Amino acid sequence: MRLPGRQTTTRVLVAAVLAAAVVTQAVAALRPHVPLLLAATAASWAVEGVLHRWQRGMVSLFAKSHADITVRHVLRDLLLVLGLLRLTPEDEETAYTVLVAGLLAFYALHCAVQAVSVLVRRTRTLPVVTRNIDASALRLTPAPPALLRHPGPRLLVHGLPATAGLLVTAATGEPRCAAFGIAMSLGLALMGLADLLVRLLPSRRPAGEQEVLEWFDAWLAEYRPTVGLYFSGGVSSAYQANMWLEPLAKAGGKPLIVLRERFMLQKIAATDVPIVCLPKVSTLLRVEQSTLQVLIHPSNSGKTSQVLRIPTIKHTFVNHGESDKLSSCNPYAKAYDEVWVAGPAARERYAAAEVGVEDKDVVEIGRPQLDAVRPYAGPPTGPVTVLYAPTWEGWDGNPGNTSVIEAGENIVRALLADPGVRLLYKPHPLTGSVDPRAGAADRRIRELIRAANRERAGQRPADDGELVRCTRELDRLTTAGFRADSVERMLLQSTPEPGRAAAVTRATEAWERAYWASLPAWEHQVVTDARPTLYACFNRADLLISDVSSVVSDFLASGKPYAVANTSGLGEEAFRAAFPTAGAATVLTPDAVGVPGLLDAVRHPERDELRSARAELKRRLLGPDEPSAQERFDRAVQALAAAARRRGLPGQRREQETVPASGRLTLPG
């Protein structure tokens, strides 16, 4: 992925200033020139602050080129010492021997602190990480201060007195200033080392690996989970699991969320469901001896095969959305016991794809998440709110994946040209991550929207502080107000208070009302944050324009008009035949000439010729309205759990195992 031009320019500028400061400092130390030496050192120090505060990516780049913070800091101090030596008469140079020795001792202590911090981090890296579970029995303690966990900021802070003392000595010629500064740095380093060493005492360490595993086994036996959500993925993929949190929480039984990556624990949205992260395969396999009967999989990953080997659990693939893309009928789906889909169209899609998924293993459950989507309530009485939500470019390079590159700007220009339109632009989070052209087009679209807003004028709602209050309350309920290690998070994110889930729902509804009320009805919006959600945008929109993606299928729950951009190169009839989700849509060509007619149909429902087609397509894609999708989801969970029980519980399987005379374990079959 290419960096945007502005970010690249900033990085080049920061690197150039740092390099110039170091070179200038070296020249000033060799001449010597005190004012120049002071200015260059101060500039170098300021750039270090910028790096660690706003340009952390560059910190990694410098480290990879063996110019990390330690090297830069040592070079900075050595140049100061060199400048002092050049300024000092030869017969007095020995007076600085003690200062050099003190600096060497400080850097030795810095290395010792770093080594001990690594040991402390290892003692605090548990084989099981949890959320929404009382793990106080594991002797959890707060993490060391952030300064002691991160070597870069620690060296900057601990080394500041020494560097400042050397600068004052260079300006005044008084060695005692440097000696005092170095002594302060030594004292700070010793205090940090002592703090970390205390944490290595047996009484201060969290539980060891075996103790944690025994505790986990005991917790599983006490909680007795029945249905779980299994998820593994990258940093930006958590939305795939988050969309299934509420259906899982509403399902009967004892739900559980099983993760594989430690960072993912904080990416999962607010929920009261217990969460466990099991990074190692050996730890993951311990759930085989639990009461867990069903695991729901919203995505495929390289680590999925590791859990599919557990024979006591039934596995079902629910996907994280359905569309006409090939990813919605992936051959990997045949590895699961069942595949749960929204409606008949998905069943037909698997049958036509012939990827090995048998029809008897396909279960139609609808889309429980869509209960939050409000149905069509008539034509707009004011501006037509249009949601343009294109998908991303995908991995296969198919030009029909996203409309952003070929059609995005034309669609947006056509919408902005209508003074009675309010545009909500919500691009996919991964836009531009594979094809730089998509990222560039996305930036141009945002600039078009900003320019259109500058040309519009109108009254803005008075700021009564309601949005700030609602945001603060929602953040309090849903986010952790700390940045610590996993052990401290386990300590603070213990068993949730009763009623928290209902409180989150109320706070979310209040935030959405305050958010939309805070925006002028005439102003176009670029929506990229986690809030408002896609479904919240559905409820504000009168019309959706998107690509062939699950967004289209989900929007059909509203019954409102929608359009699909055709950038595949196919004719309209072939496009509709290839992508059934476009069957009730207005198909837009890359030039977006159909936008005015589309807006006219929204304003005048009697001219909307696709209303009945949308209702029929909704039934095909999402299934019937009754029973509700949540009810069908619950029934599917119960049926699959019953099948798991018929297969045999862990204890029953062990009774069937036989041990021959050779002592080797033989499994039935």
Side-chain angles (χ1 to χ4, degrees):
M1 176 181 176
R2 296 180 184 175
L3 293 169
R6 184 178 301 176
Q7 186 175 357
T8 302
T9 302
T10 301
R11 289 190 169 187
V12 171
L13 180 62
V14 170
V17 172
L18 181 59
V22 172
V23 172
T24 304
Q25 190 184 17
V27 172
L30 291 171
R31 288 191 58 180
H33 190 284
V34 174
L36 193 59
L37 181 63
L38 297 177
T41 304
S44 174
W45 195 274
V47 173
E48 292 289 357
V50 171
L51 284 174
H52 285 86
R53 180 64 179 86
W54 293 291
Q55 294 290 331
R56 295 182 180 178
M58 289 194 67
V59 174
S60 300
L61 291 176
F62 278 123
K64 291 177 181 177
S65 60
H66 301 286
D68 61 12
I69 178 63
T70 303
V71 172
R72 298 195 302 272
H73 204 284
V74 169
L75 178 61
R76 188 182 302 114
D77 284 350
L78 286 180
L79 288 175
L80 279 175
V81 171
L82 175 61
L84 288 174
L85 291 176
R86 297 280 292 169
L87 289 167
T88 304
E90 293 185 7
D91 57 342
E92 298 180 14
E93 288 182 355
T94 54
Y96 290 95
T97 303
V98 176
L99 298 182
V100 174
L103 276 177
L104 293 175
F106 167 71
Y107 285 112
L109 270 177
H110 169 71
C111 294
V113 171
Q114 178 60 18
V116 176
S117 70
V118 171
L119 292 177
V120 171
R121 184 169 66 247
R122 289 180 179 176
T123 65
R124 297 177 64 84
T125 303
L126 306 184
V128 178
V129 189
T130 66
R131 192 175 124 191
N132 298 337
I133 297 174
D134 181 6
S136 57
L138 301 180
R139 302 189 302 276
L140 306 178
T141 57
L147 202 62
L148 297 181
R149 300 198 306 271
H150 306 297
R154 180 177 68 240
L155 184 56
L156 286 175
V157 173
H158 287 180
L160 178 59
T163 303
L166 290 170
L167 283 172
V168 174
T169 297
T172 64
E174 179 53 67
R176 284 181 295 182
C177 297
F180 179 73
I182 292 172
M184 285 188 63
S185 290
L186 284 169
L188 290 173
L190 283 170
M191 290 172 59
L193 182 62
D195 183 286
L196 292 172
L197 286 172
V198 169
R199 296 173 185 274
L200 290 177
L201 296 175
S203 60
R204 296 290 303 274
R205 294 185 186 183
E209 180 173 354
Q210 188 57 39
E211 187 177 351
V212 173
L213 294 177
E214 291 173 358
W215 169 86
F216 178 58
D217 291 340
W219 180 84
L220 284 174
E222 179 182 1
Y223 180 67
R224 299 184 64 78
T226 55
V227 56
L229 178 77
Y230 178 90
F231 189 72
S232 171
V235 175
S236 60
S237 64
Y239 74 94
Q240 300 172 356
N242 287 335
M243 68 173 58
W244 288 100
L245 296 183
E246 189 171 350
L248 178 70
K250 291 180 178 178
K254 292 289 191 71
L256 176 67
I257 298 172
V258 180
L259 306 176
R260 301 303 307 282
E261 292 81 20
R262 296 175 187 271
F263 69 81
M264 191 61 71
L265 211 69
Q266 300 307 116
K267 298 291 184 180
I268 297 299
T271 179
D272 287 355
V273 176
I275 306 175
V276 296
C277 177
L278 311 174
K280 294 183 179 179
V281 178
S282 58
T283 309
L284 173 69
L285 295 181
R286 300 180 87 91
V287 301
E288 181 177 357
Q289 307 305 321
S290 74
T291 55
L292 193 61
Q293 299 162 3
V294 174
L295 272 181
I296 297 168
H297 299 258
S299 70
N300 298 310
S301 74
K303 296 179 181 178
T304 300
S305 61
Q306 297 171 351
V307 73
L308 290 178
R309 69 179 68 179
I310 300 179
T312 58
I313 298 175
K314 286 284 189 177
H315 302 268
T316 180
F317 181 60
V318 295
N319 213 335
H320 50 273
E322 291 188 14
S323 71
D324 294 321
K325 293 180 180 179
L326 292 176
S327 58
S328 289
C329 49
N330 193 316
Y332 196 92
K334 63 189 174 196
Y336 302 93
D337 295 291
E338 290 185 353
V339 176
W340 294 356
V341 300
R347 181 188 294 276
E348 297 166 7
R349 187 184 306 120
Y350 272 108
E354 297 182 347
V355 293
V357 176
E358 298 186 33
D359 186 71
K360 66 179 181 62
D361 296 328
V362 178
V363 180
E364 298 174 24
I365 64 166
R367 290 275 288 163
Q369 302 86 350
L370 301 183
D371 291 346
V373 177
R374 293 197 292 267
Y376 177 69
T381 56
V384 178
T385 300
V386 181
L387 172 62
Y388 178 39
T391 190
W392 67 304
E393 59 270 25
W395 299 108
D396 57 6
N398 189 326
N401 286 344
T402 179
S403 59
V404 169
I405 299 174
E406 295 187 17
E409 293 171 83
N410 293 333
I411 291 173
V412 169
R413 285 194 185 96
L415 293 171
L416 298 179
D418 190 322
V421 165
R422 182 198 192 189
L423 173 61
L424 305 179
Y425 174 54
K426 188 172 178 62
H428 192 285
L430 296 179
T431 298
S433 60
V434 172
D435 191 337
R437 295 178 302 163
D442 171 59
R443 291 190 292 276
R444 290 194 297 270
I445 289 172
R446 298 187 192 207
E447 181 53 41
L448 287 173
I449 294 172
R450 285 192 290 268
N453 280 334
R454 288 193 293 268
E455 294 177 0
R456 287 191 170 192
Q459 186 175 1
R460 304 189 70 86
D463 185 4
D464 58 0
E466 182 64 17
L467 180 58
V468 173
R469 289 191 293 272
C470 290
T471 301
R472 188 182 300 116
E473 174 63 11
L474 188 55
D475 285 344
R476 184 186 69 83
L477 292 169
T478 60
T479 62
F482 54 86
R483 299 183 65 179
D485 64 5
S486 58
V487 169
E488 182 172 325
R489 287 193 288 267
M490 287 174 64
L491 176 66
L492 298 178
Q493 295 178 307
S494 186
T495 307
E497 298 178 1
R500 189 185 68 169
V504 169
T505 300
R506 291 192 299 270
T508 301
E509 293 172 351
W511 183 90
E512 289 180 356
R513 288 194 298 269
Y515 173 80
W516 295 114
S518 70
L519 302 174
W522 50 265
E523 188 176 59
H524 308 298
Q525 301 296 328
V526 177
V527 183
T528 56
D529 294 335
R531 303 173 193 152
T533 64
L534 177 64
Y535 295 161
C537 294
F538 281 2
N539 292 334
R540 301 297 300 190
D542 303 302
L543 166 69
L544 169 73
I545 299 178
S546 187
D547 303 324
V548 175
S549 72
S550 60
V551 173
V552 168
S553 303
D554 287 353
F555 190 77
L556 275 166
S558 71
K560 300 174 186 177
Y562 72 103
V564 177
N566 176 13
T567 55
S568 65
L570 299 173
E572 182 172 332
E573 290 188 10
F575 181 78
R576 292 183 186 275
F579 305 110
T581 52
T586 297
V587 177
L588 294 178
T589 53
D591 55 16
V593 294
V595 167
L598 178 61
L599 294 172
D600 185 61
V602 174
R603 293 185 174 108
H604 304 283
E606 67 277 7
R607 302 175 189 173
D608 181 3
E609 300 177 353
L610 295 170
R611 181 186 301 179
S612 59
R614 287 197 301 274
E616 175 58 29
L617 186 58
K618 174 186 174 183
R619 286 189 291 270
R620 287 195 64 242
L621 291 177
L622 304 177
D625 293 333
E626 297 294 337
S628 70
Q630 182 66 48
E631 291 179 82
R632 284 179 278 160
F633 176 80
D634 294 347
R635 291 177 186 177
V637 169
Q638 295 168 10
L640 196 56
R645 291 192 296 272
R646 287 193 298 270
R647 177 186 282 179
L649 297 175
Q652 296 171 332
R653 292 180 62 85
R654 286 195 297 271
E655 291 174 4
Q656 297 172 357
E657 295 170 356
T658 59
V659 181
S662 64
R664 295 181 178 176
L665 186 65
T666 303
L667 296 177

